[in-house]
Amino acid sequence: MTAAPDTWTITTAEDAARARILAARLTADAEAPAPERARFLIALTAQLRRCLRHGGAEFVLTTRPAIAGAQGHVRVAIRPADAPLQSPPWQLTLTAPRPPHGAPPWADVDVSELAEAVLAADEDSASRLEHLERKDRLVRFHREELHETNQGVLALHAELEAAALAQQDLLGAERTARAEAENARRLLTFLADASAAVTASLDHEDILRRLPGLLVPDYAADVDVWLFDEGHMSRGGGRPAAAVTAARTGRPQHAAAHPGHLPGIDDLPPSALAPTQPLLCIPLTAHRMLGVLTLTAPAPGFDPDTSVMLVEFARRMAIALDNAHRYEQNRDIAEALQRAQLTELPRVDGLALAARYLPATLGMNIGGDWYDAFAQPDGSVLAVIGDVTGHGLRAAIMMGQLRTALRAYAVEGDGPGRILTRLHHMLHHQQPDLYATALIARFRPGDPTLVWAAAGHLPAVVRAPDGAVRVLDAKPGVMLGVPIAHEFEDHTVDLLPGSVLALFTDGLVERRAQGIDPGIERLSDALSALSTAQLDHDLDASAESLLLPMLHDSERDDDVCLLLCLTSPVRAAHPLAHDRRREPYAHAAAFPAGPDRPVVRAQPTGRGPGLDSVEIMGGEGGLRDCL
């Protein structure tokens, strides 16, 4: 509840002093805070002075106690005497935590208290000034703290900026290091893969063919190889001066309009053959200078890391080329040596022979496979097929020794089993760590019985004149040279005239993924598929026809030997019955005689497909059987 306002008229300074003293008492009794109380009284005094200068004023004082938790207040309103009635008075309100007791009567305010009020006002002013001084000190303290804090923040910002710059530099260095590591990994990966590609081949032409696919376009725009031994030219006969310098000095050369400063590489002026393209000429050096590799730079040019890799790749390529040259030379020598030891097939009556030898396409192309055919003193013919274990010159030399020893033992007239037994003893004593397989078949003129013996060798295959095929699969005996005592046995089989005996080594029938038995079945099928006319007409062509289905794959890691033996069939003796389309016989053909079979000897004319003479001897059937 608000108390009724008290109203006074202020006309003199004494009235103004009473009004101020009255407001001071009320605000002091209401326990208003000192700062708010001082501001209230100062503002009131200033307004009273202003009103006195304008002829006085009407002073209204209102108080309200605290109600329902709301704070009380002291309010003054001053209306100057010269102010219009409609204008609002000047008001000032001071909130008081305690309810004021109300204004004392105006008459109770003694003017004599003015001196005391002035002193009290000075005390309030002093108190305010002291309070302000404390606040000022506090403000200065906080200002200093704020300044120091600002300096710390500025220093922290500087440190953070420096740290950010350092981190940025580290990230840049890390990215650079990662890029360099990735580039090094890429170069090393290429070097390993490219080295494997060039060293995997022992054919220098194949190595040269692979180069452009390896280097172009990532590491070179063009590739040229100059090999001294072959005069390998791919630039129309001209060579860059840098390539000649590299060949003369043995050092890599870089020819460009501007120096490349590549590690370990000399700089030269640009080439007259390619003035706008940088060239890198690297000597190919192994045990000797083989040639020069010339690379035309891709855009924008050769960088140091790539040039180091290319020099190392050229070194490995030179080693691969040198190995290929050495291998090819050794292969040619070995193949010539082995072919020199192969037998020229004899021309015998009643038996046609055809042989094929194919060296391995993988490895040294020299092994211990061999065939042989020769006549014994008693007129019989021995056909031999054999295989010395291993490859290389030692196997080829041992093959030659076995071939020579076999011929020597055969001169004494021994049968196939006895010859193999003596070879077995010889090989065991002379080469205890070397083994061999062999099969010997003996054809005797006029006798249809074939005698054969085998030492660990694959069985022979027989084709009858009607095309039926069988495998001579009797127990073959142990390998030659195995450290056990063994006597080889002779086996016999009857052959009809016109039969074909096929002797072969494992290179013809063995495949790693299939084994030997399927290969022998394929050979049997191929032999059965040949016609009798084809065999009789050209045995050499028949041997080629057998190789085609057996060696359809171009790569093989073992030698191939094939020896075909065709017993001559009984032919009509009448000249009109002779097939004029056949080639002349390469030698006289003898047909075995018997009680019911004559001996027919046909001699070639040498002038055409006809026979020069026909002689019929023996046989009760005589010409009747021939016709």
Side-chain angles (χ1 to χ4, degrees):
M1 177 177 181
T2 304
D6 296 322
T7 303
W8 297 278
T9 300
I10 306 298
T11 59
T12 63
E14 182 178 347
D15 295 335
R18 283 191 177 94
R20 189 200 183 278
I21 292 171
L22 185 61
R25 287 181 179 178
L26 286 175
T27 56
D29 291 344
E31 296 182 357
E36 286 77 5
R37 180 169 170 263
R39 281 192 291 270
F40 179 83
L41 295 176
I42 291 172
L44 175 60
T45 303
Q47 188 63 27
L48 290 173
R49 285 198 304 267
R50 189 179 300 111
C51 290
L52 287 176
R53 286 194 299 270
H54 292 82
E58 184 182 75
F59 178 78
V60 181
L61 179 63
T62 306
T63 61
R64 188 185 71 176
I67 300 174
Q71 291 183 334
H73 67 260
V74 176
R75 179 178 295 165
V76 295
I78 300 175
R79 181 184 298 278
D82 58 352
L85 294 178
Q86 293 81 8
S87 61
W90 178 86
Q91 292 185 358
L92 184 62
T93 302
L94 176 63
T95 302
R98 290 185 58 186
H101 299 293
W106 181 266
D108 291 346
V109 179
D110 189 0
V111 179
S112 61
E113 296 178 359
L114 289 176
E116 184 179 352
V118 171
L119 293 176
D122 290 340
E123 290 179 1
D124 289 340
S125 299
S127 176
R128 300 291 74 79
L129 290 175
E130 183 180 357
H131 177 73
L132 290 175
E133 186 178 356
R134 288 198 303 270
K135 293 296 183 181
D136 185 60
R137 288 196 300 269
L138 185 60
V139 168
R140 287 197 302 270
F141 173 75
H142 288 298
R143 184 181 294 114
E144 292 177 358
E145 283 190 342
L146 180 60
H147 177 71
E148 293 178 358
T149 302
N150 290 338
Q151 293 298 322
V153 170
L154 292 176
L156 180 60
H157 284 174
E159 291 178 359
L160 290 176
E161 184 177 3
L165 293 175
Q167 185 178 15
Q168 185 176 0
D169 293 340
L170 290 175
L171 290 176
E174 182 182 4
R175 283 192 294 268
T176 302
R178 286 180 180 273
E180 293 176 352
E182 178 62 23
N183 185 56
R185 185 198 64 79
R186 180 177 60 85
L187 293 177
L188 289 176
T189 300
F190 169 79
L191 180 61
D193 295 342
S195 300
V198 297
T199 56
S201 177
L202 289 175
D203 184 350
H204 76 280
E205 291 291 345
D206 181 57
I207 295 174
L208 297 179
R209 283 193 299 269
R210 296 186 184 189
L211 276 184
L214 293 173
L215 297 174
V216 178
D218 294 336
Y219 300 100
D222 188 27
V223 177
D224 177 71
V225 180
W226 176 20
L227 296 181
F228 301 152
D229 290 345
E230 301 178 4
H232 194 80
M233 306 289 286
S234 62
R235 295 183 180 271
R239 290 291 166 189
V244 177
T245 304
R248 185 179 68 253
T249 62
R251 287 182 54 83
Q253 304 294 322
H254 177 256
H258 303 285
H261 302 295
L262 303 177
I265 299 176
D266 299 336
D267 284 311
L268 293 177
S271 171
L273 299 178
T276 62
Q277 295 176 305
L279 300 180
L280 182 60
C281 301
I282 309 173
L284 299 174
T285 306
H287 298 287
R288 57 189 178 89
M289 180 78 74
L290 301 178
V292 177
L293 172 65
T294 300
L295 304 176
T296 303
F302 298 104
D303 63 78
D305 292 338
T306 301
S307 64
V308 171
M309 182 275 295
L310 291 174
V311 171
E312 175 61 20
F313 172 70
R315 185 187 68 83
R316 299 185 183 188
M317 175 186 163
I319 294 175
L321 287 173
D322 186 58
N323 290 338
H325 280 294
R326 291 172 181 269
Y327 168 78
E328 290 167 356
Q329 292 175 356
N330 293 336
R331 179 196 61 191
D332 294 341
I333 294 173
E335 187 173 343
L337 172 63
Q338 189 165 14
R339 289 192 179 278
Q341 298 190 68
L342 297 178
T343 303
E344 181 179 355
L345 297 177
R347 300 177 179 182
V348 294
D349 293 339
L351 186 66
L353 300 171
R356 288 292 181 272
Y357 169 79
L358 297 176
T361 57
L362 301 176
M364 274 295 294
N365 283 9
I366 179 171
D369 292 22
W370 94 94
Y371 65 86
D372 199 0
F374 55 91
Q376 288 185 290
D378 61 358
S380 62
V381 177
L382 291 185
V384 183
I385 196 82
D387 185 3
V388 178
T389 58
H391 287 78
L393 288 175
R394 185 186 180 195
I397 292 173
M398 196 61 219
M399 177 266 287
Q401 293 180 2
L402 285 177
R403 174 178 172 272
T404 303
L406 189 149
R407 286 200 170 211
Y409 296 150
V411 171
E412 300 180 9
D414 291 334
R418 179 57 183 166
I419 294 175
L420 289 177
T421 301
R422 298 178 71 177
L423 285 176
H424 175 59
H425 293 162
M426 183 271 292
L427 186 61
H428 173 59
H429 289 292
Q430 291 188 1
Q431 299 288 342
D433 56 345
L434 197 65
Y435 310 107
T437 66
L439 188 150
I440 303 176
R442 184 180 65 189
F443 299 88
R444 193 179 297 276
D447 187 355
T449 301
L450 173 72
V451 180
W452 64 276
H457 200 80
L458 298 177
V461 177
V462 176
R463 180 191 183 276
D466 60 358
V469 177
R470 59 172 171 165
V471 178
L472 303 183
D473 55 357
K475 186 176 181 180
V478 301
M479 295 178 64
L480 298 177
V482 174
I484 59 174
H486 185 75
E487 297 287 336
F488 294 92
E489 300 178 0
D490 287 337
H491 304 278
T492 60
V493 61
D494 290 336
L495 298 181
L496 295 176
S499 297
V500 177
L501 177 69
L503 307 179
F504 52 91
T505 58
D506 54 359
L508 181 65
V509 296
E510 184 177 16
R511 297 294 178 271
R512 295 186 182 276
Q514 300 177 356
I516 293 180
D517 291 340
I520 295 178
E521 292 180 4
R522 290 197 309 274
L523 176 62
S524 300
D525 295 340
L527 189 60
S528 177
L530 296 176
S531 66
T532 301
Q534 180 180 1
L535 290 166
D536 188 35
H537 176 73
D538 194 339
L539 194 60
D540 281 329
S542 299
E544 290 291 339
S545 299
L546 282 177
L547 294 181
L548 290 177
M550 300 300 297
L551 303 177
H552 58 277
D553 49 345
S554 59
E555 298 293 337
R556 54 187 179 277
D557 56 3
D558 201 358
D559 302 339
V560 173
C561 266
L562 173 65
L563 178 61
L564 297 182
C565 308
L566 171 64
T567 60
S568 300
V570 177
R571 299 186 182 279
H574 197 280
L576 298 178
H578 181 75
D579 187 353
R580 295 286 181 173
R581 294 172 297 176
R582 292 179 52 84
E583 295 291 334
Y585 289 101
H587 52 270
F591 300 89
D596 297 322
R597 295 189 299 273
V599 174
V600 179
R601 297 187 182 276
Q603 299 295 334
T605 63
R607 298 184 300 273
L611 296 177
D612 184 58
S613 63
V614 178
E615 180 182 4
I616 304 175
M617 300 178 295
E620 297 178 359
L623 185 60
R624 182 188 70 249
D625 291 342
C626 294
L627 298 176

